[in-house]
Amino acid sequence: VECRPLGFLLGLPFALVALVLSVVGAVVWVVGTILSCLFPCCICFAGLANLAVDLVKLPIKVLIWFTDQIPC
C-alpha cells in the first residue's frame, strides 16, 4: 500500500504521453462528430469519434494499469 504513490510518480511520464494523445483524441472527436453530422451515411466518422473517446480516456487507464503492475 505504501509503494503505490511511488508507482504513481513512476507512471507520470507515461501519463503525460497519454495526456498528449488525449488532447489529440479530443480534437479528432470534435472533427469526427462534425463530419458525422454532416455526412450521416458514412459510418467511418462515427467509428473515428468512438476511437477518439477512447484516446481521451487513455491517461486514466494508463495510470491505473501502471499502479496495478506494482506487486505490493
Side-chain angles (χ1 to χ4, degrees):
V1 172
E2 54 272 350
C3 68
R4 295 279 186 201
L6 179 62
F8 177 78
L9 290 175
L10 289 173
L12 278 179
F14 301 107
L16 290 176
V17 170
L19 184 64
V20 170
L21 288 175
S22 175
V23 171
V24 169
V27 171
V28 170
W29 178 74
V30 170
V31 171
T33 302
I34 291 171
L35 289 176
S36 170
C37 289
L38 292 176
F39 306 107
C41 296
C42 189
I43 195 154
C44 62
F45 294 129
L48 185 68
N50 289 336
L51 176 69
V53 169
D54 287 338
L55 281 176
V56 170
K57 294 179 183 179
L58 192 62
I60 304 293
K61 290 179 183 179
V62 167
L63 280 179
I64 291 172
W65 175 82
F66 195 82
T67 54
D68 285 345
Q69 299 303 311
I70 298 172
C72 55

